[in-house]
Amino acid sequence: MELRHLRYFVAIGEEQHYGRAARRLRVAQPALSRQIQDLEEELGFKLFDRLPRGVKLNSAGELFLEDARCILLEIDAAALRAGRVARGRSGTLRVGFTENSCWRGVAPESFRRFRELQPDAELQLQPSASVEQLEAIRCGRLDAGFVNFMPKSDPDLDQLLVARHHVELAAPKGHPLTKLEKLRLRDLTDAPFVWFPRWSSPAFYDRMMHECYRGGLKSPRIVQEGLNEATILSLVSSGLGVGWVLGTARWRCPETVVVLPVIDLKMPLTLALAWRKDNTSPLLANFIGDVRRLPDVRALSKG
């Protein structure tokens, strides 16, 4: 049994006439008649009572008509759903992001636009550290991720630079360091630090230590580790010490914290959207295209 058998049968069942059904289907009436005969032979019973003019569904045909309509509707709906997935308008997209990227800028704006442009798709968001995201993308647990410390080249991953930030110092309000007109690394020699753990990004950690040493902060006094920016800001707010954050943290600081530039610290921190090169998801391709078109990303690429 083929789908055309069901479509031909439904047309005849609704029209109760071979000629009208043939015109509706745009097929020759003899061919239509042969198809219904084949269907009845395959089923092993008749679907119609033949009349002098036209045909009439018998009891078995009436029941079969109801089920055939449902089957055709399901087939049409399945084709529509599959088509939306093929065009990147439906399905599921899994995206990771770092804590400090989700408050403002490209990442939250891309999520908002995705929901606006892809209302029928599901967006699954996963907050995690950059190294964890990269592993999840390689293993296929994530489709893409907004990550810091992205390697310049990777044989498995592709990337799009979406933001460039600078590392600055978070300090409690009223701290002696906040009174300095121009803050330098050597001024931080005796300050207790809340520092991010080395495992979260060994290369960036080592670069920070190198820059600090170069600027006169040869042995930072680390009293506590904080995995992400929110934790560091919270611990700085409690007076535990000072800590490194992005300059963009300035707008979301606790009231008891200030963010200060350190004039001899030249540590740009990039944020990139990363994905597997062999991921052929149309939904992912649409998401990447939407991110490329964001004003901040376009301005960055031109710069």
Side-chain angles (χ1 to χ4, degrees):
M1 186 185 302
E2 299 179 15
L3 284 178
R4 72 171 183 273
H5 291 126
L6 295 182
R7 297 191 189 280
Y8 290 173
F9 165 71
V10 168
I12 298 171
E14 291 177 347
E15 296 292 342
Q16 302 282 298
H17 194 279
Y18 274 87
R20 290 195 297 270
R23 289 192 293 273
R24 169 174 157 180
L25 295 168
R26 298 181 180 179
V27 298
Q29 184 172 333
L32 180 59
S33 179
R34 284 196 302 270
Q35 292 295 328
I36 296 303
Q37 289 175 6
D38 291 344
L39 176 61
E40 289 178 326
E41 288 178 5
E42 183 173 349
L43 292 173
F45 53 84
K46 296 293 184 180
L47 297 168
F48 296 98
D49 293 331
R50 272 62 180 179
L51 303 175
R53 292 187 177 182
V55 292
K56 180 182 178 181
L57 287 166
N58 59 28
S59 57
E62 288 177 353
L63 181 61
F64 194 67
L65 176 62
E66 182 179 338
D67 289 339
R69 283 169 170 162
C70 291
I71 292 170
L72 292 175
L73 286 174
E74 285 294 326
I75 292 294
D76 290 343
L80 181 62
R81 290 192 297 270
R84 293 188 65 80
V85 171
R87 293 188 296 272
R89 299 302 178 187
S90 186
T92 300
L93 185 71
R94 302 158 300 170
V95 181
F97 60 93
T98 57
E99 185 275 335
N100 60 7
S101 71
C102 69
W103 294 91
R104 192 178 190 181
V106 171
E109 177 63 12
S110 71
F111 302 152
R112 184 194 67 78
R113 284 179 60 83
F114 181 90
R115 292 274 21 103
E116 178 182 301
L117 299 175
Q118 318 287 355
D120 296 330
E122 179 185 4
L123 178 62
Q124 294 182 0
L125 299 177
Q126 178 63 54
S128 58
S130 295
V131 290
E132 295 171 343
Q133 286 189 63
L134 293 175
E135 178 61 24
I137 294 169
R138 287 191 176 94
C139 294
R141 297 193 304 271
L142 286 177
D143 295 301
F146 288 97
V147 299
N148 298 314
F149 327 119
M150 184 67 190
K152 291 184 178 179
S153 62
D154 189 292
D156 300 322
L157 305 183
D158 212 340
Q159 62 178 290
L160 172 65
L161 181 64
V162 299
R164 185 179 288 112
H165 304 296
H166 293 280
V167 177
E168 300 189 15
L169 187 76
K173 276 187 178 178
H175 192 283
L177 292 173
T178 64
K179 306 296 193 296
L180 299 178
E181 184 176 345
K182 292 184 177 181
L183 184 61
R184 299 178 182 274
L185 286 165
R186 64 171 180 260
D187 299 322
L188 309 177
T189 300
D190 297 323
F193 267 95
V194 180
W195 206 284
F196 57 92
R198 186 178 186 276
W199 68 262
S200 64
S201 179
F204 188 73
Y205 184 100
D206 293 344
R207 283 176 56 203
M208 279 293 300
M209 285 297 185
H210 176 76
E211 287 298 310
C212 289
Y213 186 90
R214 180 194 56 77
L217 179 58
K218 298 188 177 183
S219 183
R221 188 158 68 92
I222 300 173
V223 298
Q224 180 64 49
E225 287 188 340
L227 178 59
N228 54 41
E229 196 171 81
T231 302
I232 292 174
L233 288 170
S234 176
L235 294 175
V236 171
S237 176
S238 70
L240 190 60
V242 299
W244 299 118
V245 296
L246 298 185
T248 53
R250 183 174 284 102
W251 70 272
R252 69 180 181 105
C253 273
E255 294 182 358
T256 56
V257 174
V258 294
V259 176
L260 308 168
V262 180
I263 63 173
D264 56 344
L265 177 63
K266 309 299 182 183
M267 281 293 295
L269 181 64
T270 59
L271 179 69
L273 178 65
W275 64 92
R276 277 183 65 105
K277 292 178 179 178
D278 61 358
N279 190 332
T280 59
S281 163
L283 196 58
L284 173 62
N286 285 349
F287 180 74
I288 295 169
D290 291 339
V291 172
R292 289 187 190 277
R293 288 187 287 272
L294 290 175
D296 288 351
V297 177
R298 293 172 61 185
L300 190 63
S301 63
K302 291 178 180 178

Short mmCIF file of all heavy atoms in Angstrom, two decimals, residues 61-121:
data_model
loop_
_atom_site.label_atom_id
_atom_site.label_comp_id
_atom_site.label_asym_id
_atom_site.label_seq_id
_atom_site.Cartn_x
_atom_site.Cartn_y
_atom_site.Cartn_z
N GLY A 61 -15.63 0.88 4.37
CA GLY A 61 -15.05 2.04 3.71
C GLY A 61 -15.18 3.30 4.55
O GLY A 61 -14.26 4.13 4.59
N GLU A 62 -16.31 3.46 5.25
CA GLU A 62 -16.49 4.64 6.11
C GLU A 62 -15.45 4.66 7.24
O GLU A 62 -14.88 5.70 7.55
CB GLU A 62 -17.91 4.65 6.68
CG GLU A 62 -18.97 4.98 5.63
CD GLU A 62 -20.37 4.91 6.21
OE1 GLU A 62 -20.50 4.48 7.40
OE2 GLU A 62 -21.32 5.28 5.50
N LEU A 63 -15.23 3.50 7.84
CA LEU A 63 -14.22 3.43 8.91
C LEU A 63 -12.82 3.66 8.35
O LEU A 63 -12.01 4.38 8.94
CB LEU A 63 -14.31 2.07 9.59
CG LEU A 63 -13.33 1.85 10.76
CD1 LEU A 63 -13.58 2.87 11.86
CD2 LEU A 63 -13.45 0.43 11.30
N PHE A 64 -12.54 3.07 7.18
CA PHE A 64 -11.22 3.22 6.58
C PHE A 64 -10.98 4.68 6.15
O PHE A 64 -9.86 5.17 6.23
CB PHE A 64 -11.10 2.28 5.37
CG PHE A 64 -9.69 2.12 4.89
CD1 PHE A 64 -8.72 1.49 5.65
CD2 PHE A 64 -9.31 2.62 3.64
CE1 PHE A 64 -7.44 1.34 5.20
CE2 PHE A 64 -8.01 2.48 3.18
CZ PHE A 64 -7.07 1.83 3.96
N LEU A 65 -12.02 5.37 5.72
CA LEU A 65 -11.90 6.77 5.32
C LEU A 65 -11.47 7.62 6.51
O LEU A 65 -10.60 8.49 6.38
CB LEU A 65 -13.22 7.29 4.76
CG LEU A 65 -13.25 8.78 4.38
CD1 LEU A 65 -12.25 9.08 3.29
CD2 LEU A 65 -14.66 9.19 3.96
N GLU A 66 -12.07 7.38 7.65
CA GLU A 66 -11.72 8.15 8.86
C GLU A 66 -10.26 7.96 9.22
O GLU A 66 -9.53 8.92 9.50
CB GLU A 66 -12.62 7.71 10.01
CG GLU A 66 -12.39 8.47 11.31
CD GLU A 66 -13.31 8.01 12.42
OE1 GLU A 66 -14.38 7.44 12.10
OE2 GLU A 66 -12.96 8.22 13.59
N ASP A 67 -9.80 6.70 9.20
CA ASP A 67 -8.40 6.43 9.54
C ASP A 67 -7.44 6.94 8.47
O ASP A 67 -6.35 7.45 8.77
CB ASP A 67 -8.18 4.93 9.74
CG ASP A 67 -8.84 4.41 11.01
OD1 ASP A 67 -9.09 5.23 11.91
OD2 ASP A 67 -9.11 3.20 11.09
N ALA A 68 -7.85 6.82 7.19
CA ALA A 68 -6.99 7.29 6.10
C ALA A 68 -6.78 8.80 6.19
O ALA A 68 -5.67 9.30 5.95
CB ALA A 68 -7.60 6.92 4.76
N ARG A 69 -7.83 9.54 6.52
CA ARG A 69 -7.68 10.99 6.69
C ARG A 69 -6.67 11.31 7.80
O ARG A 69 -5.83 12.20 7.65
CB ARG A 69 -9.04 11.61 7.04
CG ARG A 69 -9.99 11.78 5.86
CD ARG A 69 -11.36 12.14 6.36
NE ARG A 69 -12.26 12.55 5.29
CZ ARG A 69 -13.59 12.58 5.42
NH1 ARG A 69 -14.15 12.22 6.58
NH2 ARG A 69 -14.34 12.96 4.41
N CYS A 70 -6.78 10.59 8.92
CA CYS A 70 -5.85 10.83 10.04
C CYS A 70 -4.41 10.54 9.62
O CYS A 70 -3.49 11.29 9.96
CB CYS A 70 -6.24 9.96 11.24
SG CYS A 70 -7.79 10.43 12.02
N ILE A 71 -4.21 9.44 8.88
CA ILE A 71 -2.87 9.08 8.44
C ILE A 71 -2.29 10.15 7.53
O ILE A 71 -1.13 10.58 7.70
CB ILE A 71 -2.89 7.72 7.72
CG1 ILE A 71 -3.21 6.60 8.71
CG2 ILE A 71 -1.56 7.44 7.01
CD1 ILE A 71 -3.48 5.26 8.06
N LEU A 72 -3.08 10.64 6.60
CA LEU A 72 -2.59 11.67 5.68
C LEU A 72 -2.30 12.98 6.39
O LEU A 72 -1.32 13.67 6.07
CB LEU A 72 -3.62 11.89 4.56
CG LEU A 72 -3.79 10.71 3.59
CD1 LEU A 72 -4.92 10.99 2.59
CD2 LEU A 72 -2.48 10.42 2.85
N LEU A 73 -3.12 13.32 7.37
CA LEU A 73 -2.86 14.53 8.15
C LEU A 73 -1.55 14.39 8.93
O LEU A 73 -0.76 15.34 9.02
CB LEU A 73 -4.02 14.80 9.11
CG LEU A 73 -5.30 15.35 8.49
CD1 LEU A 73 -6.42 15.43 9.54
CD2 LEU A 73 -5.06 16.73 7.88
N GLU A 74 -1.31 13.20 9.51
CA GLU A 74 -0.06 12.97 10.24
C GLU A 74 1.14 13.05 9.31
O GLU A 74 2.18 13.60 9.66
CB GLU A 74 -0.11 11.61 10.93
CG GLU A 74 -0.98 11.55 12.17
CD GLU A 74 -0.44 12.42 13.29
OE1 GLU A 74 0.79 12.54 13.41
OE2 GLU A 74 -1.26 13.02 14.02
N ILE A 75 1.01 12.48 8.11
CA ILE A 75 2.10 12.53 7.14
C ILE A 75 2.41 13.98 6.75
O ILE A 75 3.57 14.40 6.69
CB ILE A 75 1.75 11.71 5.89
CG1 ILE A 75 1.69 10.21 6.23
CG2 ILE A 75 2.76 11.97 4.77
CD1 ILE A 75 3.01 9.62 6.63
N ASP A 76 1.37 14.76 6.49
CA ASP A 76 1.57 16.16 6.11
C ASP A 76 2.22 16.95 7.25
O ASP A 76 3.11 17.78 7.03
CB ASP A 76 0.23 16.80 5.74
CG ASP A 76 -0.32 16.26 4.42
OD1 ASP A 76 0.47 15.66 3.66
OD2 ASP A 76 -1.53 16.42 4.18
N ALA A 77 1.77 16.67 8.49
CA ALA A 77 2.33 17.37 9.65
C ALA A 77 3.79 16.98 9.85
O ALA A 77 4.64 17.83 10.17
CB ALA A 77 1.52 17.06 10.90
N ALA A 78 4.09 15.68 9.65
CA ALA A 78 5.48 15.22 9.79
C ALA A 78 6.38 15.88 8.76
O ALA A 78 7.51 16.28 9.06
CB ALA A 78 5.54 13.70 9.67
N ALA A 79 5.89 15.99 7.53
CA ALA A 79 6.68 16.64 6.47
C ALA A 79 6.91 18.11 6.79
O ALA A 79 8.00 18.65 6.55
CB ALA A 79 5.96 16.49 5.13
N LEU A 80 5.89 18.76 7.35
CA LEU A 80 6.02 20.17 7.72
C LEU A 80 7.05 20.34 8.83
O LEU A 80 7.91 21.24 8.76
CB LEU A 80 4.66 20.72 8.16
CG LEU A 80 4.62 22.20 8.56
CD1 LEU A 80 5.02 23.09 7.39
CD2 LEU A 80 3.24 22.58 9.07
N ARG A 81 6.98 19.47 9.85
CA ARG A 81 7.95 19.56 10.95
C ARG A 81 9.36 19.31 10.46
O ARG A 81 10.30 20.01 10.83
CB ARG A 81 7.58 18.56 12.05
CG ARG A 81 6.31 18.91 12.82
CD ARG A 81 6.17 18.06 14.07
NE ARG A 81 6.05 16.63 13.77
CZ ARG A 81 4.90 16.01 13.58
NH1 ARG A 81 3.76 16.69 13.66
NH2 ARG A 81 4.87 14.72 13.33
N ALA A 82 9.53 18.29 9.63
CA ALA A 82 10.87 17.97 9.10
C ALA A 82 11.40 19.11 8.24
O ALA A 82 12.59 19.43 8.27
CB ALA A 82 10.82 16.67 8.30
N GLY A 83 10.50 19.72 7.47
CA GLY A 83 10.92 20.85 6.63
C GLY A 83 11.40 22.03 7.45
O GLY A 83 12.37 22.69 7.09
N ARG A 84 10.74 22.26 8.58
CA ARG A 84 11.16 23.37 9.44
C ARG A 84 12.54 23.09 10.04
O ARG A 84 13.36 23.99 10.18
CB ARG A 84 10.13 23.61 10.54
CG ARG A 84 8.80 24.14 10.02
CD ARG A 84 7.89 24.54 11.16
NE ARG A 84 8.44 25.67 11.91
CZ ARG A 84 8.36 26.94 11.52
NH1 ARG A 84 7.75 27.25 10.40
NH2 ARG A 84 8.88 27.90 12.26
N VAL A 85 12.77 21.83 10.42
CA VAL A 85 14.10 21.47 10.93
C VAL A 85 15.15 21.63 9.84
O VAL A 85 16.24 22.17 10.07
CB VAL A 85 14.08 20.02 11.47
CG1 VAL A 85 15.50 19.56 11.80
CG2 VAL A 85 13.20 19.93 12.71
N ALA A 86 14.85 21.17 8.63
CA ALA A 86 15.80 21.26 7.52
C ALA A 86 16.14 22.70 7.19
O ALA A 86 17.27 23.00 6.76
CB ALA A 86 15.23 20.56 6.29
N ARG A 87 15.18 23.62 7.38
CA ARG A 87 15.43 25.04 7.10
C ARG A 87 15.95 25.79 8.31
O ARG A 87 16.12 27.01 8.26
CB ARG A 87 14.14 25.69 6.59
CG ARG A 87 13.67 25.17 5.23
CD ARG A 87 12.51 25.98 4.70
NE ARG A 87 11.33 25.86 5.55
CZ ARG A 87 10.42 24.90 5.43
NH1 ARG A 87 10.57 23.96 4.52
NH2 ARG A 87 9.37 24.87 6.23
N GLY A 88 16.19 25.07 9.41
CA GLY A 88 16.71 25.72 10.61
C GLY A 88 15.69 26.56 11.33
O GLY A 88 16.03 27.53 12.01
N ARG A 89 14.40 26.20 11.23
CA ARG A 89 13.33 26.95 11.89
C ARG A 89 12.75 26.20 13.07
O ARG A 89 11.88 26.72 13.76
CB ARG A 89 12.22 27.27 10.88
CG ARG A 89 12.67 28.13 9.72
CD ARG A 89 13.24 29.44 10.20
NE ARG A 89 13.73 30.27 9.11
CZ ARG A 89 14.41 31.40 9.29
NH1 ARG A 89 14.68 31.81 10.51
NH2 ARG A 89 14.83 32.10 8.25
N SER A 90 13.21 24.97 13.29
CA SER A 90 12.69 24.17 14.38
C SER A 90 13.80 23.26 14.87
O SER A 90 14.88 23.22 14.31
CB SER A 90 11.46 23.38 13.92
OG SER A 90 10.86 22.70 15.00
N GLY A 91 13.52 22.52 15.94
CA GLY A 91 14.52 21.63 16.51
C GLY A 91 15.03 22.19 17.83
O GLY A 91 14.40 23.04 18.46
N THR A 92 16.18 21.70 18.26
CA THR A 92 16.78 22.08 19.55
C THR A 92 18.20 22.57 19.33
O THR A 92 18.98 21.93 18.63
CB THR A 92 16.78 20.88 20.52
OG1 THR A 92 15.44 20.44 20.73
CG2 THR A 92 17.40 21.29 21.85
N LEU A 93 18.52 23.71 19.94
CA LEU A 93 19.88 24.25 19.91
C LEU A 93 20.39 24.34 21.34
O LEU A 93 19.74 24.92 22.20
CB LEU A 93 19.89 25.64 19.26
CG LEU A 93 21.28 26.26 19.06
CD1 LEU A 93 22.03 25.52 17.95
CD2 LEU A 93 21.17 27.74 18.70
N ARG A 94 21.58 23.76 21.57
CA ARG A 94 22.18 23.73 22.92
C ARG A 94 23.40 24.66 22.92
O ARG A 94 24.37 24.41 22.20
CB ARG A 94 22.58 22.30 23.27
CG ARG A 94 21.42 21.30 23.23
CD ARG A 94 21.92 19.88 23.06
NE ARG A 94 22.68 19.75 21.82
CZ ARG A 94 23.41 18.67 21.51
NH1 ARG A 94 23.47 17.66 22.33
NH2 ARG A 94 24.07 18.63 20.36
N VAL A 95 23.33 25.70 23.74
CA VAL A 95 24.38 26.73 23.75
C VAL A 95 24.89 26.92 25.18
O VAL A 95 24.10 27.08 26.12
CB VAL A 95 23.85 28.06 23.20
CG1 VAL A 95 24.97 29.11 23.19
CG2 VAL A 95 23.29 27.88 21.80
N GLY A 96 26.20 26.93 25.32
CA GLY A 96 26.83 27.21 26.61
C GLY A 96 27.26 28.66 26.70
O GLY A 96 27.38 29.36 25.69
N PHE A 97 27.51 29.12 27.91
CA PHE A 97 27.98 30.49 28.10
C PHE A 97 28.68 30.60 29.46
O PHE A 97 28.37 29.87 30.39
CB PHE A 97 26.82 31.50 28.03
CG PHE A 97 25.75 31.27 29.08
CD1 PHE A 97 25.79 31.94 30.29
CD2 PHE A 97 24.72 30.38 28.84
CE1 PHE A 97 24.81 31.73 31.26
CE2 PHE A 97 23.73 30.16 29.79
CZ PHE A 97 23.78 30.84 31.01
N THR A 98 29.63 31.50 29.53
CA THR A 98 30.30 31.77 30.79
C THR A 98 29.47 32.75 31.62
O THR A 98 28.69 33.53 31.07
CB THR A 98 31.69 32.39 30.55
OG1 THR A 98 31.55 33.58 29.76
CG2 THR A 98 32.59 31.41 29.82
N GLU A 99 29.66 32.69 32.92
CA GLU A 99 28.85 33.54 33.80
C GLU A 99 29.03 35.02 33.48
O GLU A 99 28.06 35.78 33.47
CB GLU A 99 29.24 33.25 35.27
CG GLU A 99 28.42 33.97 36.30
CD GLU A 99 28.93 35.38 36.59
OE1 GLU A 99 30.13 35.62 36.38
OE2 GLU A 99 28.11 36.22 37.02
N ASN A 100 30.25 35.44 33.18
CA ASN A 100 30.48 36.87 32.98
C ASN A 100 30.05 37.35 31.60
O ASN A 100 30.11 38.54 31.31
CB ASN A 100 31.94 37.25 33.23
CG ASN A 100 32.91 36.53 32.32
OD1 ASN A 100 32.51 35.83 31.41
ND2 ASN A 100 34.20 36.69 32.60
N SER A 101 29.59 36.42 30.72
CA SER A 101 29.15 36.84 29.39
C SER A 101 27.64 37.01 29.29
O SER A 101 27.14 37.51 28.28
CB SER A 101 29.60 35.81 28.34
OG SER A 101 28.86 34.60 28.46
N CYS A 102 26.91 36.59 30.32
CA CYS A 102 25.46 36.48 30.16
C CYS A 102 24.69 37.70 30.67
O CYS A 102 23.47 37.76 30.51
CB CYS A 102 24.95 35.23 30.88
SG CYS A 102 25.04 35.31 32.67
N TRP A 103 25.39 38.65 31.29
CA TRP A 103 24.68 39.77 31.89
C TRP A 103 24.37 40.87 30.90
O TRP A 103 23.36 41.56 31.01
CB TRP A 103 25.50 40.34 33.06
CG TRP A 103 25.62 39.39 34.19
CD1 TRP A 103 26.60 38.47 34.40
CD2 TRP A 103 24.70 39.23 35.27
NE1 TRP A 103 26.37 37.75 35.53
CE2 TRP A 103 25.21 38.21 36.10
CE3 TRP A 103 23.51 39.87 35.63
CZ2 TRP A 103 24.56 37.79 37.26
CZ3 TRP A 103 22.86 39.45 36.78
CH2 TRP A 103 23.38 38.44 37.58
N ARG A 104 25.25 41.04 29.95
CA ARG A 104 25.09 42.16 29.01
C ARG A 104 25.92 41.89 27.77
O ARG A 104 26.94 41.22 27.83
CB ARG A 104 25.56 43.46 29.69
CG ARG A 104 25.20 44.73 28.96
CD ARG A 104 25.66 45.95 29.74
NE ARG A 104 25.15 47.17 29.21
CZ ARG A 104 25.42 48.38 29.71
NH1 ARG A 104 26.20 48.49 30.76
NH2 ARG A 104 24.91 49.46 29.17
N GLY A 105 25.47 42.40 26.63
CA GLY A 105 26.27 42.28 25.42
C GLY A 105 25.77 41.22 24.46
O GLY A 105 24.57 40.93 24.38
N VAL A 106 26.70 40.61 23.72
CA VAL A 106 26.36 39.76 22.60
C VAL A 106 25.60 38.51 23.02
O VAL A 106 24.61 38.13 22.39
CB VAL A 106 27.64 39.37 21.83
CG1 VAL A 106 27.35 38.29 20.79
CG2 VAL A 106 28.24 40.60 21.15
N ALA A 107 26.04 37.84 24.09
CA ALA A 107 25.41 36.56 24.46
C ALA A 107 23.92 36.72 24.78
O ALA A 107 23.09 36.08 24.15
CB ALA A 107 26.16 35.92 25.62
N PRO A 108 23.54 37.57 25.75
CA PRO A 108 22.10 37.69 26.02
C PRO A 108 21.31 38.26 24.84
O PRO A 108 20.15 37.89 24.63
CB PRO A 108 22.04 38.62 27.23
CG PRO A 108 23.34 39.34 27.26
CD PRO A 108 24.34 38.39 26.68
N GLU A 109 21.94 39.13 24.05
CA GLU A 109 21.25 39.69 22.89
C GLU A 109 21.00 38.60 21.85
O GLU A 109 19.94 38.56 21.20
CB GLU A 109 22.06 40.82 22.28
CG GLU A 109 21.47 41.42 21.01
CD GLU A 109 20.10 42.08 21.21
OE1 GLU A 109 19.69 42.29 22.37
OE2 GLU A 109 19.44 42.37 20.20
N SER A 110 21.96 37.68 21.69
CA SER A 110 21.78 36.59 20.73
C SER A 110 20.67 35.65 21.19
O SER A 110 19.91 35.13 20.35
CB SER A 110 23.09 35.81 20.56
OG SER A 110 23.40 35.04 21.70
N PHE A 111 20.54 35.43 22.49
CA PHE A 111 19.46 34.57 23.01
C PHE A 111 18.10 35.22 22.76
O PHE A 111 17.14 34.56 22.38
CB PHE A 111 19.66 34.30 24.49
CG PHE A 111 20.97 33.65 24.84
CD1 PHE A 111 21.55 33.85 26.08
CD2 PHE A 111 21.64 32.86 23.91
CE1 PHE A 111 22.76 33.26 26.41
CE2 PHE A 111 22.86 32.26 24.23
CZ PHE A 111 23.42 32.47 25.48
N ARG A 112 18.04 36.53 22.98
CA ARG A 112 16.78 37.24 22.76
C ARG A 112 16.37 37.18 21.30
O ARG A 112 15.20 36.91 20.97
CB ARG A 112 16.91 38.70 23.20
CG ARG A 112 15.61 39.50 23.11
CD ARG A 112 15.86 40.99 23.21
NE ARG A 112 16.59 41.49 22.06
CZ ARG A 112 16.02 41.74 20.89
NH1 ARG A 112 14.73 41.51 20.69
NH2 ARG A 112 16.75 42.20 19.88
N ARG A 113 17.33 37.40 20.40
CA ARG A 113 17.03 37.38 18.97
C ARG A 113 16.64 35.97 18.52
O ARG A 113 15.77 35.80 17.66
CB ARG A 113 18.23 37.88 18.16
CG ARG A 113 18.41 39.39 18.23
CD ARG A 113 19.64 39.83 17.44
NE ARG A 113 19.55 39.45 16.04
CZ ARG A 113 18.90 40.15 15.11
NH1 ARG A 113 18.29 41.27 15.44
NH2 ARG A 113 18.88 39.74 13.85
N PHE A 114 17.27 34.97 19.08
CA PHE A 114 16.92 33.59 18.72
C PHE A 114 15.46 33.31 19.05
O PHE A 114 14.73 32.75 18.24
CB PHE A 114 17.83 32.62 19.47
CG PHE A 114 17.57 31.17 19.13
CD1 PHE A 114 18.24 30.57 18.09
CD2 PHE A 114 16.64 30.43 19.84
CE1 PHE A 114 18.01 29.24 17.76
CE2 PHE A 114 16.39 29.10 19.53
CZ PHE A 114 17.09 28.51 18.49
N ARG A 115 15.03 33.69 20.23
CA ARG A 115 13.65 33.46 20.62
C ARG A 115 12.69 34.26 19.74
O ARG A 115 11.58 33.81 19.44
CB ARG A 115 13.44 33.87 22.09
CG ARG A 115 14.15 32.99 23.06
CD ARG A 115 13.43 31.73 23.49
NE ARG A 115 12.38 31.24 22.63
CZ ARG A 115 12.51 30.22 21.81
NH1 ARG A 115 13.66 29.60 21.71
NH2 ARG A 115 11.50 29.80 21.09
N GLU A 116 13.12 35.42 19.30
CA GLU A 116 12.29 36.27 18.44
C GLU A 116 12.20 35.71 17.03
O GLU A 116 11.11 35.70 16.42
CB GLU A 116 12.88 37.68 18.42
CG GLU A 116 12.15 38.66 17.53
CD GLU A 116 12.82 40.03 17.53
OE1 GLU A 116 12.95 40.62 18.61
OE2 GLU A 116 13.25 40.48 16.46
N LEU A 117 13.32 35.23 16.49
CA LEU A 117 13.37 34.78 15.09
C LEU A 117 13.05 33.31 14.93
O LEU A 117 12.68 32.88 13.83
CB LEU A 117 14.76 35.08 14.51
CG LEU A 117 15.18 36.55 14.47
CD1 LEU A 117 16.63 36.68 13.99
CD2 LEU A 117 14.24 37.35 13.57
N GLN A 118 13.21 32.51 15.98
CA GLN A 118 12.96 31.07 15.89
C GLN A 118 11.95 30.66 16.97
O GLN A 118 12.28 29.89 17.88
CB GLN A 118 14.27 30.28 16.09
CG GLN A 118 15.49 30.85 15.39
CD GLN A 118 15.45 30.65 13.89
OE1 GLN A 118 14.55 30.00 13.37
NE2 GLN A 118 16.41 31.20 13.18
N PRO A 119 10.74 31.14 16.91
CA PRO A 119 9.77 30.87 17.98
C PRO A 119 9.41 29.40 18.13
O PRO A 119 8.95 28.99 19.19
CB PRO A 119 8.56 31.72 17.58
CG PRO A 119 8.68 31.88 16.09
CD PRO A 119 10.15 31.95 15.82
N ASP A 120 9.60 28.60 17.08
CA ASP A 120 9.22 27.18 17.14
C ASP A 120 10.37 26.29 17.58
O ASP A 120 10.19 25.07 17.73
CB ASP A 120 8.71 26.71 15.78
CG ASP A 120 7.43 27.43 15.37
OD1 ASP A 120 6.66 27.80 16.27
OD2 ASP A 120 7.21 27.61 14.16
N ALA A 121 11.55 26.84 17.77
CA ALA A 121 12.72 26.05 18.15
C ALA A 121 12.91 26.10 19.66
O ALA A 121 12.47 27.03 20.34
CB ALA A 121 13.97 26.56 17.44
#
